[in-house]
Amino acid sequence: MVSPSQNSMLFFLFFTANLWLCFVPSTAELKRFEHPVKADGSLSVLVVGDWGRKGLYNQSLVATQMGVVGEKLDIDFVISTGDNFYEDGLTGVSDPAFNESFINIYTASSLQKQWYNVLGNHDYRGDVEAQLSPILTKMDHRWLCLRSFIVNAGFVEFFFVDTTPFVNDYFTDPGESTYDWKGILPRQEYLSNLLEANNIDLYVNGHDHCLEHISSTNSQIQFLTSGGGSKAWRDDIREWNPEELKLYYDGQGFMSMQITQTHMHIVFYDVFGNVLHKWGISKGLDAAEL
């Protein structure tokens, strides 16, 4: 892939369940999906992670506010950053958790759009192939889940990367957990870091049960966490360089993205739909907090 120039009107966004490692397979190996933008050339997306708890731990409340914001923004699709079904993924394609944690929860009309999903570590504790199965898509047309893939949406490229197999501890020290590594072993060979090389604008992850925005002083990449879909890290405060930490919220919520060819606008919401944090960027210009 040819890296865009600084003034290129093309955004690159990188989605994953874990933030620990940033190595990805060659983009030539990844399946690509095309998603159209609106007639006015804009794109609106919601991002949520760590959600599948059958409506408990405020999952239903977050879903309600997602529906409200989704209607207001006229969203085009939803992104899940992983840990889709707790505690141990799905037991199979007939697991009632698919209905109880997904179909019966995200019922708002605005959320009846395509969902692009990646896997989290809890998903690997169940039958991974079930979440990847087209049978689930037949049960609910919104569902699309692959290990790693790319979504092309006009002027935006979304890279979805399954990073759970990169974490050595899940292999060497799994504790009482059992992971489903079918299709993974032997572990694949991965290429060098593509984030800086391809001018990635955002790295968005779940796994951490919080909402977070880190603006690194050493990189152009913005690091965003949307992992507040249900059970949150109440009172679990992680220290970070205050010059880089723009948001840390240890409660439930989600994130929205509004994108045009020249601008991107990010908003974090809490479980009640209140705005926690806003940030925006213009291509070719310095990022600006709004």
Side-chain angles (χ1 to χ4, degrees), residues 247-279:
L247 170 70
Y248 181 82
Y249 180 69
D250 59 336
Q252 293 104 345
F254 59 100
M255 187 181 87
S256 70
M257 307 170 63
Q258 294 175 275
I259 313 171
T260 67
Q261 289 192 9
T262 57
H263 295 85
M264 182 187 305
H265 185 59
I266 305 295
V267 180
F268 287 89
Y269 306 86
D270 69 9
V271 68
F272 305 108
N274 299 315
V275 173
L276 297 171
H277 175 65
K278 297 180 180 180
W279 179 86

Side-chain angles (χ1 to χ4, degrees), residues 159-180:
F159 295 80
F160 295 80
V161 177
D162 179 13
T163 54
T164 297
F166 302 167
V167 182
N168 285 325
D169 285 351
Y170 295 153
F171 290 84
T172 61
D173 188 22
E176 298 180 357
S177 299
T178 300
Y179 292 89
D180 178 10

Side-chain angles (χ1 to χ4, degrees), residues 25 27-28 32 61 162 171 177 192 217-218 238 251 258 268 273 285:
T27 57
R32 290 177 176 264
L61 294 180
D162 179 13
F171 290 84
S177 299
S192 60
T217 57
N218 300 317
R238 306 294 178 90
Q258 294 175 275
F268 287 89
L285 302 174

Side-chain angles (χ1 to χ4, degrees), residues 80-109:
S80 169
T81 56
D83 281 354
N84 305 318
F85 301 98
Y86 284 93
E87 288 284 334
D88 299 314
L90 296 179
T91 59
V93 294
S94 60
D95 191 331
F98 186 66
N99 284 279
E100 297 167 347
S101 291
F102 179 63
I103 295 178
N104 297 343
I105 301 297
Y106 302 102
T107 58
S109 59

Side-chain angles (χ1 to χ4, degrees), residues 76-149:
D76 297 282
F77 55 86
V78 180
I79 291 171
S80 169
T81 56
D83 281 354
N84 305 318
F85 301 98
Y86 284 93
E87 288 284 334
D88 299 314
L90 296 179
T91 59
V93 294
S94 60
D95 191 331
F98 186 66
N99 284 279
E100 297 167 347
S101 291
F102 179 63
I103 295 178
N104 297 343
I105 301 297
Y106 302 102
T107 58
S109 59
S110 65
L111 303 181
Q112 306 308 303
K113 306 291 179 68
Q114 182 70 63
W115 281 58
Y116 294 109
N117 306 274
V118 291
L119 299 166
N121 63 304
H122 283 271
D123 299 312
Y124 270 98
R125 296 177 184 177
D127 182 354
V128 170
E129 297 296 330
Q131 292 198 46
L132 304 178
S133 173
I135 294 176
L136 295 191
T137 304
K138 292 180 180 179
M139 295 172 60
D140 191 308
H141 67 90
R142 297 175 292 174
W143 185 263
L144 189 151
C145 184
L146 297 175
R147 296 189 192 276
S148 298
F149 58 100

